[in-house]
Amino acid sequence: MTSRASWFQRYLLPGFVFQAAVIAGGYATGRELVEFFLPAGPWGGLLGMTVSMLVWSAVLMVSFELARVARAWDYRTFFKVLLGRGWFAFEIGYVLLMLVILAVMGAAAGEIAFSLFGLPKLAGSLAMIAATGALLFCGSAAIEKFLVASVGYLYLVYVVFVIWAVVAFGDRIGTNFASVPVDTGWFKAGVTYAGYNVATIPAVLFCVRHFGRRREALAAGALAGPLGMLPGVVFYIAMMGYYHEIGAEALPSAFLLAKLQAPWFEWVFQLAVMLTLVDTGVALLHALNERVANAWAERQRPMPRSLRPALAVGVMLIAVYAATAVGLVDLIAKGYGTLTWYFLAIYVLPLMTWGVWLLWRRRSIEAAPLP
């Protein structure tokens, strides 16, 4: 399988899939950037995002190589290698984080449906659930193609967005970058933001099957950090035109689009956001399905195809209920922060110590399974 993998599949596809997994819970609405980086100021926020990007790249590089060597293409197999009998500690956190991210997605989809069409917010949430469930009927190859196409559209929209924002209120952006001091909390913000987002990395492991050698895994991991963060950096720069006002907005993206006074582009942008919500849902839930499929395979039984969308829809309905009960702002402010340190402790720390040691001990062996 790896011998037929293209250059794109080996070096760029993992970064695009990682970006798709991160974006809805990371910066699709802009609210996440407000919570983590806005208090540090314009320059401080960018410094914090640079820290997050570097953490992502480091964790991705080691994760990809460990998964390649161990042939661990789902998170259950991967964490059995990394944590042994304690592998389920990640699954507990992953399911909780997935519920929080899906709840944020459901709330965001509801806000978009209401702002664009005047529909009940529940209608937007249910539409996102239906689209995600339908895509999960497909296999890994079809999901890869969908994620790449939607991420390509997203990059195009974000580039147009930031150029337009700079033209429309670039003077305000420049003034705020020049006048607002850098807060000392940018480093902690960067680590904290990276901490909960690294938990989405195991959702990318199904792409590892394309790697044939160590340099491909390391290069893909190094590139995935910048690919995952670039749209967020672009969005953050645009937001700085209204640095003092945007902190109170539940949906900063809608606030900025209104300032551009171009209803047609609001539709274009919100379509991109809706696609990112589906992207992240597909990536996270596909990882859960792959983990369940692996458990069925161990019993010499194929996972029923209908179980894939059924499992996904069930998880999303629970998450949407949580979004309705708690609200978008509180979910982001409280849910992410609580899980950040958990993942740093049970994933990043073991990976960058024990995981690196496992790879160092077997550095001369290519594509050999770990014991």
Side-chain angles (χ1 to χ4, degrees):
M1 189 178 297
T2 56
S3 62
R4 295 193 298 272
S6 66
W7 186 91
F8 176 84
Q9 288 175 313
R10 286 178 283 131
Y11 292 106
L12 296 182
L13 175 65
F16 286 151
V17 175
F18 173 64
Q19 193 266 348
V22 164
I23 184 168
Y27 48 79
T29 66
R31 186 64 218 176
E32 301 84 355
L33 301 180
V34 166
E35 289 292 336
F36 285 92
F37 299 115
L38 196 70
W43 284 112
L46 290 181
L47 288 171
M49 295 172 85
T50 301
V51 170
S52 297
M53 181 193 72
L54 293 174
V55 172
W56 287 352
S57 287
V59 176
L60 283 156
M61 290 169 71
V62 180
S63 295
F64 284 172
E65 175 59 5
L66 183 60
R68 183 193 70 84
V69 171
R71 296 190 177 96
W73 300 342
D74 69 276
Y75 71 77
R76 178 170 175 258
T77 305
F78 180 85
F79 281 97
K80 280 188 173 182
V81 173
L82 184 63
L83 300 179
R85 294 180 179 179
W87 69 268
F88 63 87
F90 175 82
E91 183 160 66
I92 293 170
Y94 181 78
V95 170
L96 290 175
L97 179 68
M98 184 170 59
L99 287 173
V100 173
I101 291 177
L102 292 172
V104 169
M105 290 162 49
E111 294 282 354
I112 292 171
F114 179 76
S115 65
L116 287 183
F117 307 108
L119 295 174
K121 294 180 180 180
L122 181 61
S125 301
L126 292 177
M128 182 203 69
I129 290 174
T132 304
L135 279 166
L136 287 168
F137 264 118
C138 307
S140 294
I143 288 173
E144 285 177 1
K145 292 177 181 178
F146 171 77
L147 294 178
V148 169
S150 56
V151 167
Y153 174 73
L154 172 78
Y155 272 106
L156 177 62
V157 170
Y158 268 56
V159 168
V160 173
F161 181 49
V162 74
I163 292 174
W164 198 341
V166 169
V167 171
F169 33 84
D171 55 336
R172 297 175 60 97
I173 294 175
T175 298
N176 287 330
F177 267 99
S179 62
V180 179
V182 176
D183 189 271
T184 55
W186 59 267
F187 184 82
K188 180 181 178 182
V191 172
T192 305
Y193 182 78
Y196 84 84
N197 278 297
V198 295
T200 64
I201 291 175
V204 188
L205 294 180
F206 70 94
C207 296
V208 170
R209 70 188 192 280
H210 295 306
F211 301 147
R213 58 188 66 183
R214 171 168 295 182
R215 71 182 183 190
E216 294 171 359
L218 297 181
L223 287 169
L227 287 172
M229 185 59 80
L230 181 59
V233 170
V234 167
F235 197 177
Y236 189 76
I237 292 172
M239 289 168 59
M240 292 307 96
Y242 290 88
Y243 169 79
H244 298 287
E245 298 91 344
I246 209 162
E249 298 295 325
L251 213 60
S253 57
F255 175 82
L256 287 181
L257 290 167
K259 293 296 181 181
L260 292 177
Q261 298 181 345
W264 69 268
F265 187 69
E266 182 175 357
W267 283 74
V268 171
F269 187 90
Q270 297 290 35
L271 174 60
V273 173
M274 287 295 286
L275 281 174
T276 66
L277 301 181
V278 176
D279 284 349
T280 297
V282 168
L284 294 176
L285 291 164
H286 184 61
L288 180 63
N289 277 333
E290 290 296 290
R291 175 260 186 269
V292 174
N294 179 267
W296 279 73
E298 288 180 356
R299 296 172 175 82
Q300 283 77 48
R301 297 177 61 189
M303 178 181 178
R305 189 179 179 192
S306 60
L307 183 57
R308 289 177 176 268
L311 180 62
V313 169
V315 171
M316 284 189 289
L317 286 173
I318 296 172
V320 168
Y321 174 78
T324 304
V326 179
L328 178 61
V329 174
D330 286 342
L331 276 170
I332 294 171
K334 299 176 182 178
Y336 289 155
T338 303
L339 290 168
T340 291
W341 304 108
Y342 181 80
F343 287 116
L344 288 174
I346 62 101
Y347 177 20
V348 177
L349 183 60
L351 179 74
M352 303 308 286
T353 53
W354 176 241
V356 170
W357 168 248
L358 286 175
L359 292 173
W360 175 257
R361 193 175 65 182
R362 301 181 63 91
R363 61 191 181 277
S364 62
I365 301 176
E366 285 290 329
L370 294 172

